[in-house]
Amino acid sequence: MNISLLSLLLATALGIVLSRDLLAVIMLSGIYGFLSASFFVLMDAVDVAFTEAAVGSGISPLLMLLTVALVGRKEKHNPGRSIPALILVTITGSLLVLGTLSMPEFGSADAPANTHVNPRYIEQSAGEIGIPNIVTSVLASYRGFDTFGEVAVVFTAGIGVLTLLTLKPSGSQTPVISGAHQHKILRIVSKILIPPILLFALYVQFHGEYGPGGGFQAGVIFAAGIILYTIFFGVDLARQVVSSALLKILAAFGVLLYGSVGLVSMLSGGDFLDYSVLAENPVTGQHIGIIIIELGVGITVAAVMTMIFYCFASQVNNSAETKE
């Protein structure tokens, strides 16, 4: 199964490189994301598979479709850049292959990660953190600083896109993404699917301590539900439900909520992001801290993903108005 998926990934990647039709490239990119998610499931990385399925197969292709609406479907051929690009890719690939030759074999029991870090997490996380999902223990508690940095990166990326594309309400009465008003079946099916998607996102959010999931996964799934609503019912109606101003506030609020947990930990006599001091029982404190910071992660990720989609949609609308 692993060889089959890797072969399909390689064939899809070659198709993406060779195709000049950007719409075909987007479709192949979605397939590549779906295959990657399937491969992560086989590797028992279900948390990563959740994110890849929602972003790689869902949100990213939609953003690329909006980009194609701006730049056109066909890629212009520039033979003058093919040879230098090929040389650069060949050198980079060769260096990556050389770098992997000194690495231990995959799954080797003698690998540094399996002899130093992993045993401690496996043996002591149950007593120190008190939750069965070791992945959540590592990401939300042991590596709390790193995860906080990742949330800040997501927030910064959203601000960067917002700055470059300038989120503005469209003045057109008939925006390009006006919803599938003429497709009643799609609208009815979307009404049936969107509530379970949002409910599943909440399940992933608050069940991350006991199974695959957490703030990152729940955030992208929740954003996918909102984006699906936008596609079928139009940008204007979606902004009435979740406004751009609200998304900006939520994106910042999630980061502030995460950082506030660290400040409260310090004021309670512990270190920054030391959840053990948040309650009399250290394990209970860990539970409280993880739930709150995961909520902050989910809010920021969902808000930023939706905000980026709104930005691209606004650019498409403004481009259509200019052409008119």
Side-chain angles (χ1 to χ4, degrees), residues 156-224:
T156 304
I159 295 300
V161 173
L162 187 67
T163 303
L164 291 174
L165 299 183
T166 310
L167 185 60
K168 293 180 180 179
S170 175
S172 174
Q173 298 299 320
T174 57
V176 174
I177 306 178
S178 57
H181 296 291
Q182 70 276 19
H183 299 287
K184 292 184 179 180
I185 295 178
L186 293 178
R187 289 168 63 87
I188 292 173
V189 171
S190 67
K191 288 182 179 180
I192 297 174
L193 290 179
I194 291 174
I197 291 174
L198 300 181
L199 184 61
F200 180 67
L202 294 175
Y203 172 82
V204 172
Q205 172 73 58
F206 295 105
H207 197 259
E209 297 184 15
Y210 304 97
F216 285 103
Q217 294 78 12
V220 294
I221 295 173
F222 203 91

Side-chain angles (χ1 to χ4, degrees), residues 154 158 219-220 222-223 226 242 244 246-252 254 297-310:
V154 172
V220 294
F222 203 91
I226 298 176
V242 183
S244 302
L246 177 62
L247 291 176
K248 296 176 186 178
I249 295 173
L250 290 177
V297 172
I299 292 173
T300 295
V301 171
V304 168
M305 288 293 179
T306 308
M307 185 170 60
I308 290 175
F309 182 83
Y310 279 6

Side-chain angles (χ1 to χ4, degrees), residues 5-315:
L5 282 176
L6 288 174
S7 300
L8 290 172
L9 283 170
L10 179 60
T12 306
L14 290 175
I16 293 173
V17 172
L18 297 176
S19 178
R20 295 292 176 183
D21 188 341
L22 296 182
L23 182 60
V25 170
I26 294 172
M27 296 300 102
L28 289 173
S29 298
I31 295 173
Y32 189 91
F34 177 76
L35 292 173
S36 299
S38 301
F39 186 73
F40 288 140
V41 172
L42 289 179
M43 301 294 291
D44 292 329
V46 184
D47 301 75
V48 183
F50 273 160
T51 307
E52 180 62 30
V55 177
S57 300
I59 297 177
S60 293
L62 291 175
L63 294 178
M64 288 189 283
L65 284 173
L66 292 176
T67 304
V68 167
L70 293 171
V71 302
R73 177 171 176 175
K74 295 294 183 179
E75 179 184 4
K76 295 181 180 179
H77 181 61
N78 190 348
R81 298 182 180 179
S82 299
I83 295 178
L86 179 61
I87 295 174
L88 178 61
V89 170
T90 302
I91 294 174
T92 304
S94 301
L95 292 175
L96 290 174
V97 172
L98 289 175
T100 60
L101 295 179
S102 60
M103 295 178 62
E105 295 183 4
F106 179 77
S108 174
D110 298 329
N114 295 329
T115 56
H116 299 286
V117 180
N118 287 351
R120 185 184 187 284
Y121 290 156
I122 295 173
E123 295 171 2
Q124 301 186 28
S125 65
E128 295 177 345
I129 311 300
I131 60 177
N133 189 352
I134 300 178
V135 175
T136 301
S137 299
V138 173
L139 295 179
S141 184
Y142 291 117
R143 284 179 49 206
F145 283 97
D146 181 65
T147 304
F148 184 45
E150 293 176 0
V151 178
V153 168
V154 172
F155 175 73
T156 304
I159 295 300
V161 173
L162 187 67
T163 303
L164 291 174
L165 299 183
T166 310
L167 185 60
K168 293 180 180 179
S170 175
S172 174
Q173 298 299 320
T174 57
V176 174
I177 306 178
S178 57
H181 296 291
Q182 70 276 19
H183 299 287
K184 292 184 179 180
I185 295 178
L186 293 178
R187 289 168 63 87
I188 292 173
V189 171
S190 67
K191 288 182 179 180
I192 297 174
L193 290 179
I194 291 174
I197 291 174
L198 300 181
L199 184 61
F200 180 67
L202 294 175
Y203 172 82
V204 172
Q205 172 73 58
F206 295 105
H207 197 259
E209 297 184 15
Y210 304 97
F216 285 103
Q217 294 78 12
V220 294
I221 295 173
F222 203 91
I226 298 176
I227 292 173
L228 184 64
Y229 180 88
T230 304
I231 292 173
F232 287 111
F233 296 94
V235 177
D236 290 343
L237 187 58
R239 282 183 175 141
Q240 294 178 14
V241 179
V242 183
S243 66
S244 302
L246 177 62
L247 291 176
K248 296 176 186 178
I249 295 173
L250 290 177
F253 174 76
V255 180
L256 291 175
L257 182 62
Y258 197 133
S260 298
V261 175
L263 294 178
V264 172
S265 300
M266 295 177 64
L267 294 175
S268 300
D271 297 326
F272 186 71
L273 295 178
D274 179 12
Y275 315 135
S276 301
V277 298
L278 297 179
E280 294 183 3
N281 188 337
V283 174
T284 303
Q286 288 286 340
H287 281 245
I288 295 173
I290 289 175
I291 290 174
I292 296 176
I293 66 102
E294 288 282 9
L295 181 60
V297 172
I299 292 173
T300 295
V301 171
V304 168
M305 288 293 179
T306 308
M307 185 170 60
I308 290 175
F309 182 83
Y310 279 6
C311 286
F312 276 84
S314 298
Q315 287 296 309

